[in-house]
Amino acid sequence: NYITIVTPPSRGGCKMASFRKRNGLWQVQVRNRKIGSISKSFHIKSEAQKWAKEQEVLMQSGGWSKTQISNYSLEDLLTKYKNEITPSKRGYVVENRKLKRLLKEKDLMNTPLERLYPPTLATFRDRRLKDGVRACQYDLVLIRHAWNIACIEWGWNLGENPALKIRLPKNNPPRERRLKPGEYERLKKASSETKVWYLWPIIDFAIETGMRRSEILGIMWKHIGIDNQRVLLPLTKNGSSRWVPLTKKATEILNQVPRTADHVFPITDVALRQSWERLRNRANLIDFTFHDLRHEAISRMFEKGLNVPEVASISGHKTASQLFRYVQVNARL
């Protein structure tokens, strides 16, 4: 099962594409006596022939790189991406943490890029789904984007992106979890039993304002309006700034927080995550996430009589459909 296609000689040297079928795959190698060779495997013969022609054109035009993709693994790709691309992103801290976790998947990371096939990523996807849909989606999107960056900006001849050929897991239906009667008190009691001073003020503030965890941790004292009735979020998840009005209770919470640093809550995202996990275990609210506090806050806003534009201006949602994913109003008939 060997097929050899020889192209006419040119200034760049004689180019030859060799094909062979082995273990159910079409293996192709393109050789140039002056600048070297490159090889790759495909499931379909026509794809192998198409790729070979692309490499020959690159060799003729001088756009082919001696860099052999066979020398790089997925770990090499994601490590370079983490070091060069991630630091420039607004969500640097979160993405850096997720990449560090992903890089621990050694079976996947050791895969050479030339042998990173869609079935390999599909197997990883199905296993990763056990850790949650969002976590799985995030990993696959990172791999997909890193591959594209390598092809477009780094000049790596990787060929088609295998992450584009597999199905991303579907989003879970919107959560409908709100605080049930007595659960607010359980959280407060559990908070009183810890020495973490910032935990309860942050929880109470989240319920009063509907702000995300990252937004709360990003608040600086200079962002609070001179009248103490609103706070500026200079950069939010959707890329724009917004003013969030402060209720009387939210203002009281801020007045009780000690001013020891520029940030109102001078702690890291990791520290808050860990404190929250311990708290909800202590309060026996395992199925209640910190983000559910945002659901609670937005639902309360509607229960108080605010309309869609008013709530959207506070929560930062761009569309009503996005906003309604957070609304579970307890009707009072």
Side-chain angles (χ1 to χ4, degrees), residues 18-30 38-55 114-115 117-118 157-161 165:
S18 299
F19 300 79
R20 70 173 180 175
K21 194 171 185 180
R22 185 178 182 183
N23 298 327
L25 294 175
W26 283 96
Q27 298 179 346
V28 56
Q29 183 183 62
V30 181
I38 186 171
S39 60
K40 194 172 182 180
S41 299
F42 296 85
H43 289 277
I44 302 174
K45 179 182 175 182
S46 60
E47 291 185 356
Q49 292 173 325
K50 177 183 176 182
W51 178 84
K53 291 179 180 178
E54 292 173 350
Q55 301 310 307
E114 65 176 358
R115 293 203 295 273
Y117 305 126
N157 295 315
L158 297 180
E160 291 186 278
N161 192 330
K165 293 189 173 184

Side-chain angles (χ1 to χ4, degrees), residues 204-222:
D204 231 6
F205 193 75
I207 294 174
E208 286 298 309
T209 63
M211 290 167 57
R212 302 176 178 91
R213 178 178 59 239
S214 60
E215 293 171 345
I216 294 175
L217 294 182
I219 298 175
M220 302 181 72
W221 289 110
K222 66 180 181 181

